[in-house]
Amino acid sequence: MSDTKPTSRETIANLVANSGLTIDDLYKALKSELVVRSLMDEQTPVLYVLTQDLQNSIKFILMDMGASCKAEFSVNNLYEKRFHMKNIQASISEGYKLLYNFGKLRKKSLWKKLMKQVHEDGNSDLITEGLGIEQKLEVFGNTEIDQKLRNLTLHYDNEMIEVYKSTVLVDSEEKTMTKFLSFWGILQDVKLYTDKIDEYCLSKTGIHKPSPSFPIMLGINDFHKTVCQLINKDGKLENIFDNLPKEAVESIDLIAEQWNGTKRVEDYIRNNVPSIGVIPEIGHVQVLANIQLLLRFMMLDMVAIVDAYLKSSSDIEYALNLRRVCVTKVSTMVHLYGYTSDEHEQSIWKSIEDMIPNGSSELLLQSKKISDLLEKIVFQSNDKDLRATFVHLFDNSKVCSDLANVVSAIEGINPITLVADIQLLLGVYKVMMQFSTILMNVLAEEAHQKSIQSSRALDNQIDEYIRRFEESQLPDDQKKQLVNMMEEMKKKYNI
């Protein structure tokens, strides 16, 4: 990539010009081609089946990347741009996995299945051209795929500081778009290659690919535009997003610095005064910083999603953007509360509950209400399954892809339901930010009272030493010296 000519904003702008229409055209073409795939049976030449799967995949990948790319160019604030740049790279990773996969599962990928059949067919020209494309796929995967960033983008993490660190590193639109263009080029190579194979198959067998004999039905929920008009009356909501306060984004930096500060204190104690041991108060600050980072990321990601949703220009673009609400909701709830008992035991909320002082009846009552709310959100929810459909274009557990199911799930998104989810999660954000702030103050006061009690105990102990020195049989000058030392100690510890 270092030898690649720098990508100008104009170049990308030309690629995504009228991209709302382009995304819609890709969707309509994909719907038609999915019908073609559904008409294939045991009598269909295998080469046709394999090229059709790749051609359909390419259309979806271009459509998905195009939606994020358009969204990235439509916003100005850095956080939203980073959100979309992360998702562009995550889409590239998922698209690459769909085509070529990783590790031991690579041999089951769509590309490897096609190449196996091409080798068996024995056409040397097609074999040579295919190997050249495969080399490009290898190099791209080894140099451009960032699986860690993909995972942190689509899953978050138990320690949200890792999400923060990866996010702040996504600071170059140029690099992101260069990667985007590079993958775009490989997809075009694959598409042209499959077209050649289709021509070869037709000339060899005389059999055409099946074609639909009926109108193609587009199945997207058509309420998206209406919902956008309702929630963005007179453009007020979009205006708020376009003028997002700087401090709303910078607050994440402040929380991250708080986390990093506790780590520096821990390191200093471990390296210089290990006898002090573990300080519970430091752990409390880290847990509270962790939950506030999670909540801040969730809130700002929702802002980016809704902003992109409002700026969409076709039904499929609306749906592609809004599906990320489900992804963000599940990523948040997995780490905040957990959908299973194992997830709950490892959750941030479980750590929070363990920190609540037994004597704080009001906090305990509030935490019970919050637990009931979070439990209600995850109980009997199919969100995790739906999220998996939205995210995983190739199912490693089943070693297959089902693009028709992915498209159907996106088409079936109910905007009213997901807008309700947004409102619910923003409500959770408000309640939990308030709770964590109150808890932090309670714990700080408790630590202060313990410090006072400790100081009083030390004060009494020093006074006892002074009394003993004064009553001792020591010479007066030694008594005075020892008493002075004790008095200085009291001053030193502000007793």
Side-chain angles (χ1 to χ4, degrees), residues 9 19 94 158 190 227 264 286 309 330 378 448 454 485:
R9 188 180 180 89
S19 57
E94 282 300 306
N158 283 331
V190 174
V227 168
R264 287 193 293 270
Q286 289 173 349
Y309 184 58
V330 172
V378 301
H448 177 63
S454 176
M485 285 176 59

Side-chain angles (χ1 to χ4, degrees), residues 356-373:
I356 301 173
N358 292 327
S360 299
S361 56
E362 183 61 31
L363 273 178
L364 289 169
L365 179 62
Q366 289 183 38
S367 72
K368 178 63 169 63
K369 291 180 179 179
I370 292 173
S371 291
D372 291 343
L373 172 62

Side-chain angles (χ1 to χ4, degrees), residues 380-393:
Q380 290 185 339
S381 169
N382 70 336
D383 286 340
K384 286 188 81 173
D385 291 338
L386 189 58
R387 176 210 166 279
T389 300
F390 288 152
V391 168
H392 300 299
L393 304 182

